[in-house]
Structures are given as C-alpha cells and as structure tokens.
Amino acid sequence: MSLRHNLYFLSLLFLLSLSFRLQAAELQPFSATYSAKFNGFSVTAKRELSGSNDSWRLDFRADSIFAKIREYSRFASSNSQLTPQHYEYHKTGLGRDRHTVLNFEPNEGRVVNLSDAEHTLENTPEDIQDKISYQLQLALDVAEGDKDLKYQVADGKKIREYRFAVTGTEKLQTPLGEVNTVLVERIRDGGAERETKIWFAPQWNYALVKLMQTEEDGKSYQISLTKLIIDGKTISID
C-alpha cells in the first residue's frame, strides 16, 4: 500500500475521535493523545477540547515523518445537540497539500466554503455536522442510548451520510488500565468490504479508546489512546 494511501487512511481514522460528558448536553475540556503505526511509520495525534456551550473548540493535530495535519472545529452545544460554526482542515507533506475552510450559517441553511466558493452548500439540514463535530455528536448519542446513529456531514464539496450501530460491549486493556467499552460499528452500503470499529469507554465519559479499520485487501490498522486528561485530571486506573 502506498504512502499516499496511508496518509488518506490516517486522516480518515483520526477524524474518528472522542467525546466526553458527565450529564446530558454537557461536554468537558479534555486533552487526549493517540499512537498508531501504519506500514512501519509511527504517528502521534492529539486532540484538545476547550470552551463553553456557546462556543466550544476542538483542535486536532497529527504528525509523522511524511505529513502533518492540523484541524479544528468551533461549535455550540445545547440539549445534547452540537451546532457547527466554523471548520478548518490543513494537510501538508506527502502528496498535494489540502486546505478546507467552512463557515456554517444554520439560520440561512448554508455552509460557505471559503476555500472554494463553487462548493458552497445551500439548503443544508438543521442537524448538519462537520468532519470532526459529528464524532463528538456520535459519542453523545451513544451515551444517551440513541439507536438512530445517522449523521449528515459537510465534507467541503457535498453532504455525506454516515451511519453507525452499537453492536456490543467489550473489556479492553489500555495503557491507562483495563476498561469496559461500548463497541460501535459503521454501517456501509451493501457489498462494501471496508470495516470500521470504534470502542467508547463509558466510565471515561465515552472517550474513544480504540479504533480499528480493515481495508478491502484484508489489512487492518489501529489507533490507541495513550493519555487522557479530563477537566485537568489525568485519567488512570490504579
């Protein structure tokens, strides 16, 4: 598999991230670090959530020897529903550099593409998400026990629908200790051989502790949580 394919897969995987809540409709500031290896290349990624219900900010960065990714989302939160306000994605390194900047205008039903005006989206749904806010929304919905895990996501050029299902529970060994998790799988169109699994930890406010993806050729890739701080407190199991 080429380095370019690895980079595409890396950006896809790390978009699947974590969310935290203590009560319905509440998020807490956090800092989470992940590690992974792709065809021998080591990757370190970090996400940080800061702000308040009127304006949260989720920052993401990933670094390897062949590329750097910087990404962030600003969004509001009310009654367990996230409303994106602004999204940016910047990738430099291997292959063509990529930059996407989106402004969300929910009152006008519009997502303005500031980096490519021709791909501004009109008549967007009220519950539209960006490419990282929907992952926070997924964790909130799993925590609420929702069954209809379906998301309309603006990817810069069009709206894509992502569907998930809770498929079980599992106890995992992690660098932070042993933890019980909820397993969520992405539902793809019939015939699709790619498989994505996500493990959320309820006792760690539904943090994502592991993500695994199996490609069409049977190769599997995995990212793992190595450090987690919620509201200034380092998470560990003694």
Side-chain angles (χ1 to χ4, degrees):
M1 184 176 293
S2 67
L3 293 181
R4 185 173 183 178
H5 191 179
N6 281 343
L7 179 59
Y8 168 80
F9 176 75
L10 172 64
S11 63
L12 174 65
L13 279 184
F14 281 94
L15 290 177
L16 296 175
S17 186
L18 71 167
S19 169
F20 304 99
R21 75 187 266 286
L22 289 180
Q23 302 174 18
E26 285 192 321
L27 301 173
Q28 284 199 312
F30 68 78
S31 175
T33 303
Y34 291 88
S35 66
K37 279 195 174 183
F38 301 95
N39 283 4
F41 291 98
S42 296
V43 178
T44 299
K46 188 172 185 178
R47 280 188 179 251
E48 295 182 325
L49 180 67
S50 59
S52 62
N53 285 344
D54 289 336
S55 183
W56 288 96
R57 173 164 171 154
L58 177 64
D59 282 274
F60 164 78
R61 61 180 182 270
D63 295 285
S64 72
I65 63 172
F66 54 88
K68 293 183 178 180
I69 295 173
R70 299 291 183 266
E71 187 174 25
Y72 81 87
S73 172
R74 284 192 287 107
F75 55 90
S77 175
S78 178
N79 298 322
S80 297
Q81 180 63 45
L82 307 184
T83 303
Q85 300 166 334
H86 185 83
Y87 168 83
E88 294 194 19
Y89 173 89
H90 305 280
K91 188 272 291 182
T92 58
L94 181 69
R96 181 172 59 89
D97 290 352
R98 291 181 55 200
H99 304 279
T100 300
V101 181
L102 305 177
N103 268 347
F104 287 76
E105 300 178 354
N107 293 334
E108 287 74 27
R110 180 186 304 122
V111 177
V112 179
N113 191 325
L114 299 179
S115 43
D116 185 355
E118 292 184 359
H119 287 106
T120 289
L121 302 173
E122 303 284 354
N123 302 314
T124 57
E126 292 183 358
D127 59 352
I128 194 167
Q129 299 292 327
D130 64 46
K131 293 187 71 175
I132 51 178
S133 69
Y134 91 89
Q135 297 301 334
L136 296 171
Q137 187 67 63
L138 171 62
L140 284 172
D141 293 344
V142 171
E144 292 283 353
D146 291 353
K147 302 299 182 183
D148 186 21
L149 303 173
K150 182 170 61 177
Y151 306 94
Q152 305 295 318
V153 179
D155 74 349
K157 294 183 178 180
K158 62 181 180 179
I159 299 174
R160 298 181 183 272
E161 182 177 275
Y162 296 162
R163 293 176 294 147
F164 297 85
V166 175
T167 58
T169 60
E170 189 172 337
K171 184 173 291 186
L172 295 182
Q173 293 288 343
T174 78
L176 285 65
E178 186 176 75
V179 64
N180 293 315
T181 66
V182 176
L183 175 58
V184 177
E185 298 188 45
R186 183 170 172 183
I187 302 172
R188 300 182 186 273
D189 294 334
E193 296 183 3
R194 179 178 292 174
E195 183 179 63
T196 302
K197 296 182 178 181
I198 312 168
W199 287 261
F200 292 105
Q203 72 189 73
W204 294 341
N205 298 321
Y206 289 85
L208 185 151
V209 296
K210 185 171 78 169
L211 184 147
M212 179 177 290
Q213 181 156 310
T214 303
E215 295 291 326
E216 292 88 343
D217 59 7
K219 292 185 178 180
S220 294
Y221 304 84
Q222 179 177 310
I223 63 172
S224 301
L225 182 67
T226 59
K227 185 177 181 180
L228 175 61
I229 301 172
I230 303 176
D231 202 20
K233 181 180 179 180
T234 300
I235 302 301
S236 64
I237 296 178
D238 296 331

